[in-house]
């Protein structure tokens, strides 16, 4: 019998070496090289219950897509992020901070699917059957078509899935699953990669939609090999602050729908509830008569959202003035401060500047530039802004206000929420086709015009 061999594998990047080293030469991680023993014989087949079938190349015009029926999760916000529901045979990865509500979301969706569409196999590697049942009891009515399996063996999970043939397979979580054919511990690079490859093959060949929960590292990245993110059809992040009730679902990859799409949920004692009007919720506690607060219409995928952006310009608390940006890109914020100081003469280099997007929302687009500038200018000069004002637009280094995409959708959302005035790029205003009678719209070309509008 051939002697089994061992090697050392970096748990961060997958670098493999025959001898142990304190630091990975590829990614530089200290203490990440762990010993793993390879199997003495390579298996001739995957053993995942899928028989080998001869596949022939097929003309694209003959491929039948009429049977591609998406399965609704029963949660409209989750369906939105997935592109309209779960595609049969798709492989979806859900990740997020510990305790954010990933297990609650998938258990709730599993219960909804079991009530209508078909059989769901929910595999829990972290909780017992009694713990899962107890949690499900407060989320809604139960169904016999929701099957629970408390198991961490990859072979057992594959065998049970092949026997039951569920509509949806849920794995909570992939870091707890281990293959008996590998000697490395659960959660290691090799185990996560093996589980992902085997589950993906099962999903594609049997048409079983599979959703797996993945842990994240302390840096906020998905734990395990990067190849896992390339294997899956969709990667969905669940975001939110631990002390807040709002949760955001954000698709960063989706082969069957738009990205980056976002869904908004609210954590309650009865589980996650959908927010039919998230813009109204984000603006519900906006202060009146305070400087430095402005409403910005931002786009999350195809959805326009109105969020409150606040800025505070204060005397420096240390020898080096502080810059704190929450919810917006910090590099973009520093760049904007330099433009405001150069073009408008604001002495921001000698002040502490704090910028925050209320509600835990993260705005990643440049359309927030003009709103950020308005909030900073309002705080620096103690200008009280019109409560019905919203602002959006990109700012260039020369202080010009540049056009942004989907301006009409932003204006429609502002008008629907009852705002009365909007400052936007002049280039966008010239192309507006719709009539917004309840909303007074002003076009700007430069930062100097923004100053004039805010001071009048």
């Amino acid at each position: 019998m051939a002697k089994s061999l061992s090697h050392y594998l970096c748990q961060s990047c997958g670098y493999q070496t025959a001898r142990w080293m304190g630091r990975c030469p590829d990614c530089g991680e200290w203490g990440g090289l762990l010993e793993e023993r390879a199997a003495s014989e390579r298996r001739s087949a995957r053993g995942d219950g899928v028989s080998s079938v001869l596949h022939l190349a097929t003309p694209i015009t003959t491929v039948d897509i009429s049977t591609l029926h998406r399965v609704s999760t029963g949660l409209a916000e989750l369906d939105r992020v997935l592109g309209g529901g779960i595609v049969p045979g798709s492989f979806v990865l859900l990740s997020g901070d510990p305790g954010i509500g990933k297990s609650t979301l998938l258990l709730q969706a599993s219960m909804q699917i079991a009530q209508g569409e078909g059989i769901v196999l929910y595999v829990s590697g972290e909780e017992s059957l009694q713990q899962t049942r107890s949690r499900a009891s407060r989320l809604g009515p139960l169904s016999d078509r929701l099957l629970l399996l408390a198991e961490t063996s990859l072979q057992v999970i594959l065998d049970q899935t092949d026997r039951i043939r569920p509509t949806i397979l849920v794995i909570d979580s992939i870091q707890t699953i281990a293959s008996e054919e590998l000697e490395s511990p659960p959660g290691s690079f090799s185990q996560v990669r093996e589980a992902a490859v085997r589950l993906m093959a099962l999903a594609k060949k049997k048409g079983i939609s599979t959703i797996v929960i993945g842990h994240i590292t302390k840096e906020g990245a998905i734990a395990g090999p990067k190849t896992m993110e390339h294997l899956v059809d969709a990667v969905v992040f669940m975001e939110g602050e631990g002390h807040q009730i709002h949760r955001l679902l954000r698709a960063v990859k989706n082969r069957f729908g738009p990205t980056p799409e976002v869904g908004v949920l609210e954590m309650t004692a009865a589980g996650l509830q959908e927010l039919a009007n998230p813009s109204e919720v984000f603006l519900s506690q906006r202060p009146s008569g305070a400087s430095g607060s402005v409403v910005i219409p931002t786009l999350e995928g195809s959805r326009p959202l109105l969020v409150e952006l606040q800025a505070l310009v204060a005397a420096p608390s240390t020898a080096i003035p502080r810059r704190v940006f929450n919810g917006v890109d910090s590099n973009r914020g520093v760049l904007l401060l330099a433009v405001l100081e150069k073009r408008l003469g604001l002495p921001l280099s000698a002040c502490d500047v704090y910028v925050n997007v209320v509600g835990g929302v993260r705005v990643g687009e440049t359309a927030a530039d003009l709103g950020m500038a308005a909030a900073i200018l309002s705080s620096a000069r103690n200008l009280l802004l019109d409560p019905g004002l919203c602002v959006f637009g990109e700012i260039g280094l020369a202080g010009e206000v540049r056009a942004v995409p989907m301006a009409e959708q932003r204006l429609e959302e502002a008008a629907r929420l009852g705002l009365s005035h909007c400052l936007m790029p002049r280039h966008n205003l010239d192309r507006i086709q719709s009539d917004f009678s309840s909303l007074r719209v002003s076009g700007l070309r430069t930062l100097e015009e923004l100053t004039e509008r805010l001071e009048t």
Side-chain angles (χ1 to χ4, degrees):
M1 179 180 293
K3 185 179 180 180
S4 62
L5 302 176
S6 66
H7 58 265
Y8 293 87
L9 193 69
C10 177
Q11 303 303 301
S12 297
C13 68
Y15 178 82
Q16 182 175 319
T17 179
R19 62 185 180 86
W20 182 84
M21 290 179 286
R23 184 180 185 183
C24 174
D26 192 25
C27 68
E29 182 76 13
W30 285 95
L33 287 167
L34 299 181
E35 183 180 12
E36 294 190 353
R37 289 183 171 83
S40 58
E41 295 180 1
R42 299 299 298 175
R43 57 184 181 271
S44 58
R46 278 293 181 186
D48 54 2
V50 181
S51 60
S52 178
V53 180
L54 179 62
H55 292 278
L56 300 178
T58 304
I60 190 172
T61 55
T62 64
V63 177
D64 183 18
I65 61 173
S66 60
T67 58
L68 193 63
H69 173 64
R70 292 179 183 263
V71 177
S72 173
T73 64
L75 298 170
E77 295 300 294
L78 180 56
D79 286 345
R80 168 191 285 270
V81 173
L82 294 175
I86 304 175
V87 175
S90 61
F91 193 25
V92 179
L93 173 63
L94 174 65
S95 189
D97 291 327
I100 201 68
K102 303 183 296 296
S103 298
T104 299
L105 174 69
L106 290 190
L107 184 57
Q108 196 169 337
S110 298
M111 296 169 61
Q112 295 282 354
I113 295 171
Q115 292 288 336
E117 295 283 351
I119 298 174
V120 179
L121 176 58
Y122 189 97
V123 180
S124 177
E126 301 177 344
E127 295 181 335
S128 65
L129 298 179
Q130 291 76 14
Q131 287 175 310
T132 306
R133 165 63 194 269
S134 176
R135 188 155 47 87
S137 299
R138 62 181 175 84
L139 299 179
L142 305 179
S143 171
D144 291 338
R145 288 188 291 184
L146 173 56
L147 308 179
L148 302 181
L149 178 64
E151 185 59 64
T152 59
S153 171
L154 178 61
Q155 283 72 22
V156 173
I157 294 172
L158 294 174
D159 291 341
Q160 288 291 315
T161 304
D162 188 55
R163 181 183 64 84
I164 298 172
R165 299 291 180 88
T167 306
I168 306 291
L169 170 64
V170 177
I171 305 293
D172 183 11
S173 65
I174 196 170
Q175 275 80 15
T176 63
I177 307 303
S179 171
E180 299 170 0
E181 297 169 353
L182 299 176
E183 297 187 24
S184 54
S188 64
F189 188 99
S190 298
Q191 290 286 9
V192 173
R193 178 179 57 191
E194 178 75 1
V197 170
R198 300 281 291 276
L199 290 170
M200 186 272 293
L202 182 66
K204 299 303 178 184
K205 294 182 179 180
K206 294 293 186 180
I208 299 174
S209 302
T210 303
I211 307 177
V212 300
I213 291 178
H215 296 164
I216 64 173
T217 64
K218 59 183 179 180
E219 291 81 15
I222 298 175
K226 198 68 177 178
T227 52
M228 183 173 66
E229 298 179 49
H230 298 301
L231 283 174
V232 300
D233 297 310
V235 178
V236 178
F237 273 93
M238 194 170 189
E239 304 173 354
E241 300 294 337
H243 59 278
Q244 294 184 346
I245 61 175
H246 299 136
R247 300 290 185 267
L248 299 182
L249 292 176
R250 191 183 305 275
V252 297
K253 172 187 176 182
N254 193 351
R255 291 173 178 160
F256 304 110
T259 55
E261 193 60 83
V262 71
V264 186
L265 300 166
E266 185 179 49
M267 179 65 77
T268 67
L272 290 160
Q273 305 294 328
E274 301 165 16
L275 289 181
N277 195 346
S279 296
E280 186 175 5
V281 173
F282 291 141
L283 300 180
S284 59
Q285 301 181 53
R286 187 184 178 206
S288 58
S291 62
S293 173
V294 69
V295 175
I296 57 172
T298 182
L299 285 178
E300 294 291 350
S302 61
R303 162 185 279 183
L305 288 178
L306 297 184
V307 297
E308 180 188 357
L309 186 146
Q310 295 181 339
L312 177 63
V313 179
S317 55
T318 60
I320 301 177
R322 299 189 63 192
R323 275 89 174 90
V324 178
F325 299 93
N326 291 326
V328 294
D329 181 65
S330 57
N331 291 327
R332 192 76 189 174
V334 171
L335 182 148
L336 185 59
L337 294 181
V339 174
L340 289 173
E341 184 158 11
K342 175 70 173 180
R343 304 301 172 187
L344 299 183
L346 292 178
L348 299 177
S349 59
C351 302
D352 286 346
V353 180
Y354 305 88
V355 176
N356 179 55
V357 180
V358 178
V361 180
R362 179 161 186 84
V363 181
E365 60 170 351
T366 57
D369 288 355
L370 197 61
M372 199 187 317
I376 293 172
L377 185 62
S378 169
S379 178
R381 296 183 176 176
N382 200 28
L383 300 174
L384 298 184
L385 301 183
D386 180 3
L389 174 68
C390 66
V391 185
F392 68 91
E394 180 181 350
I395 295 177
L397 294 181
E400 78 278 16
V401 179
R402 307 176 72 91
V404 297
M406 300 180 68
E408 287 198 35
Q409 287 84 342
R410 302 173 198 264
L411 292 176
E412 288 173 359
E413 182 71 3
R416 188 179 69 83
L417 266 293
L419 298 185
S420 58
H421 189 196
C422 180
L423 298 178
M424 60 181 291
R426 180 68 186 183
H427 294 287
N428 280 126
L429 182 59
D430 294 338
R431 296 178 175 86
I432 295 296
Q433 303 292 329
S434 303
D435 179 27
F436 299 96
S437 56
S438 61
L439 187 65
R440 182 165 55 93
V441 182
S442 302
L444 306 179
R445 298 185 187 275
T446 63
L447 277 175
E448 288 76 6
E449 295 183 19
L450 173 65
T451 305
E452 295 172 1
R453 295 284 185 177
L454 296 182
E455 290 180 344
T456 56

